[in-house]
Amino acid sequence: MTAGAVGAFFGTPAEVSLIRMTSDGRLPLAERRGYKNVFDALIRITREEGVLTLWRGCIPTIGRAIVVNAAQLASYSQAKQILVSTPYFSDNIMCHFAASMISGLITTAASMPVDIAKTRIQNMKIIDGKPEYKGAFDVLFRVIRNEGVFALWKGFTPYYARLGPHTVLTFIFLEQANQAYKQHVLKDFSGGGGL
């Protein structure tokens, strides 16, 4: 969770640039920012809106990273433990794949509301000198009030289509690295990656 929080803090400027660049095409022509690339976005945001704007939505970004890391690690370990306890799986790559897909599903469900708050804060406009939202909870309350509670999971399928493979690759590589370490460094050939 700490690693996710630290990484999110330092990655927030790039995240703000990404959010703005991807949403630019949906804005009316007069409101489009027209960033040429991420470096142009970073420079122009700093020059036009101040350096602190690069960390707009930092707290929800950190919150999302904490939720993602905690949900991924805990659900992967639990799913793997449950799968290995059945007669259908042993501690191998198929088990790691299935546990990763389960973990990705749980992580998607847990992190989407935080991700929606983060994205809307990073993309918000300043209207008459006031920010559009007061914070993450304000975003969540408005979404629930105006769009319904299930709007917090709008886009679940594409989000899972992105996070599922990421989770699978992360844990399969981790398991293979753990297994290689056990065999080549510890000279332990008992099998399993150890997660």
Side-chain angles (χ1 to χ4, degrees):
M1 287 169 44
T2 303
V6 171
F9 175 80
F10 287 105
T12 297
E15 181 83 13
V16 169
S17 300
L18 169 73
I19 297 298
R20 287 184 173 202
M21 289 173 75
T22 56
S23 67
D24 209 35
R26 291 190 304 264
L27 294 173
L29 279 173
E31 295 179 26
R32 290 186 185 170
R33 296 174 176 109
Y35 300 130
K36 295 174 190 149
N37 54 51
V38 70
F39 301 109
D40 180 48
L42 292 168
I43 291 166
R44 284 186 44 205
I45 289 168
T46 302
R47 190 181 318 127
E48 296 167 11
E49 302 174 58
V51 72
L52 292 180
T53 305
L54 294 174
W55 278 271
R56 180 178 288 162
C58 184
I59 300 300
T61 302
I62 288 172
R64 179 195 175 276
I66 289 170
V67 168
V68 166
N69 284 10
Q72 265 185 336
L73 290 169
S75 62
Y76 175 77
S77 293
Q78 192 66 44
K80 181 181 164 189
Q81 186 178 27
I82 291 168
L83 292 173
V84 169
S85 72
T86 71
Y88 308 107
F89 288 94
S90 59
D91 192 1
N92 59 25
I93 201 157
M94 286 309 296
C95 176
H96 304 159
F97 175 80
S100 297
M101 289 301 285
I102 293 167
S103 174
L105 190 66
I106 291 167
T107 303
T108 299
S111 66
M112 276 199 77
V114 185
D115 192 65
I116 285 173
K118 170 199 73 72
T119 302
R120 291 197 184 189
I121 287 171
Q122 289 172 330
N123 207 26
M124 76 178 165
K125 294 181 178 24
I126 305 299
I127 303 165
D128 297 327
K130 293 182 180 177
E132 192 176 353
Y133 300 106
K134 295 175 186 151
F137 288 111
D138 184 37
V139 173
L140 296 175
F141 290 136
R142 285 198 209 179
V143 167
I144 292 168
R145 186 180 65 226
N146 299 332
E147 302 171 45
V149 72
F150 291 111
L152 295 175
W153 291 276
K154 193 184 300 179
F156 186 90
T157 303
Y159 192 96
Y160 180 58
R162 179 180 65 92
L163 191 61
H166 169 267
T167 305
V168 167
L169 292 174
T170 297
F171 286 115
I172 286 179
F173 285 137
L174 179 62
E175 290 282 4
Q176 296 304 307
N178 283 344
Q179 189 171 14
Y181 178 78
K182 280 177 69 177
Q183 290 176 354
H184 299 291
V185 175
L186 301 177
K187 305 298 184 201
D188 178 359
F189 297 94
S190 60
L195 237 185

